[in-house]
Amino acid sequence: MVKSYPDITSFVKYFNLETTYTLNMNILSKILLLSACCLIIGCGSKQSVEADYEIVPLPYEVKNTGDDPFILNDKTMIAYPEGNDTLKRIAEFLSEYVNLSIGLKLGITGEIKENNVIILNTGYKNDNTEAYQLLVDNNKITIQGASEAAVFYGIQTLRKSMPVGNEIATVSFPATEITDYPRFGYRGMHLDVSRHMFSVESVQHYIHILAL
């Protein structure tokens, strides 16, 4: 059906309204399409984040050196002394944790490298056999403990400083020198199960938090 207009003025008004409506719809469609593309690109891109040494429990000493940070990426290796099976298991634990936390799979090697590497080693001189140093520069992270157990504790400090997320491409570790050791011979907490009822899952979660 052909629409009729009583006069030329009405035709012009109708034509202008139709034209404006068409233009607005075209602009809106383009905006929505552009927004969808940006959303898709944003969702598919990975981000770079920074490690935070403000953890619990706080290490005994944290000294920022002000040098360039170490950048952890998918090419980073974890190195341990060839033949030390205990440090090899610790390296495997760290690699697995990094993979679960940020999605990067770090390889392990028995060859000590100098670039883009996390080095696990013993030989740190301290009266406390559980003491360790965690040194970060732009080429590597070195965790040196007074024993294998001390290196494992250093791993805990490193992993707690890392963020968690599946869309992380790199982690920037500020250059620092961390010295730490247990302040007490043991740590403990009291769980009162005589006057309170706890599920098995609650107790397991409690123990998991204590293990941190």
Side-chain angles (χ1 to χ4, degrees):
M1 179 178 180
V2 179
K3 185 175 181 63
S4 59
Y5 304 94
D7 51 47
I8 188 63
T9 303
S10 299
F11 172 76
V12 170
K13 288 183 178 179
Y14 179 80
F15 179 78
N16 288 338
L17 287 175
E18 286 289 302
T19 303
T20 302
Y21 175 78
T22 302
L23 289 174
N24 287 341
M25 289 302 295
N26 288 338
I27 293 173
L28 180 60
S29 299
K30 291 179 180 179
I31 292 175
L32 291 175
L33 179 61
L34 180 61
S35 300
C37 291
C38 292
L39 181 61
I40 293 172
I41 294 173
C43 291
S45 61
K46 290 182 178 291
Q47 57 183 326
S48 298
V49 295
E50 184 173 90
D52 185 2
Y53 302 124
E54 295 290 329
I55 63 174
V56 177
L58 189 68
Y60 175 75
E61 182 181 34
V62 180
K63 184 190 303 181
N64 291 325
T65 64
D67 296 331
D68 293 335
F70 174 79
I71 306 299
L72 183 145
N73 54 43
D74 59 356
K75 304 298 183 183
T76 303
M77 299 290 290
I78 303 173
Y80 65 94
E82 185 69 42
N84 192 319
D85 292 336
T86 301
L87 289 184
K88 180 181 179 181
R89 288 194 296 270
I90 294 175
E92 291 170 345
F93 166 81
L94 177 59
S95 177
E96 180 181 358
Y97 178 81
V98 171
N99 183 244
L100 291 174
S101 299
I102 62 177
L104 298 181
K105 181 62 176 178
L106 307 186
I108 64 173
T109 177
E111 178 184 355
I112 302 300
K113 300 178 179 295
E114 290 297 326
N115 292 302
N116 198 13
V117 64
I118 301 173
I119 300 175
L120 310 181
N121 215 338
T122 56
Y124 177 54
K125 303 300 182 182
N126 195 290
D127 293 336
N128 190 324
T129 59
E130 296 181 340
Y132 67 89
Q133 274 194 326
L134 195 159
L135 309 176
V136 181
D137 61 38
N138 64 321
N139 292 319
K140 61 186 179 298
I141 296 176
T142 303
I143 301 177
Q144 187 173 39
S147 64
E148 283 85 357
V151 176
F152 181 76
Y153 297 143
I155 289 295
Q156 308 310 312
T157 297
L158 184 67
R159 73 174 184 84
K160 289 180 184 179
S161 70
M162 296 175 57
V164 176
N166 292 326
E167 298 300 328
I168 296 176
T170 62
V171 180
S172 174
F173 289 85
T176 188
E177 298 177 359
I178 296 177
T179 301
D180 195 24
Y181 53 82
R183 293 165 178 78
F184 307 100
Y186 68 91
R187 289 184 295 163
M189 292 183 70
H190 176 68
L191 179 63
D192 187 353
V193 295
S194 62
R195 292 177 296 178
H196 302 84
M197 301 299 294
F198 295 92
S199 66
V200 173
E201 291 76 15
S202 296
V203 175
Q204 290 175 338
H205 183 63
Y206 186 89
I207 296 173
H208 174 70
I209 293 176
L210 179 59
L212 297 176

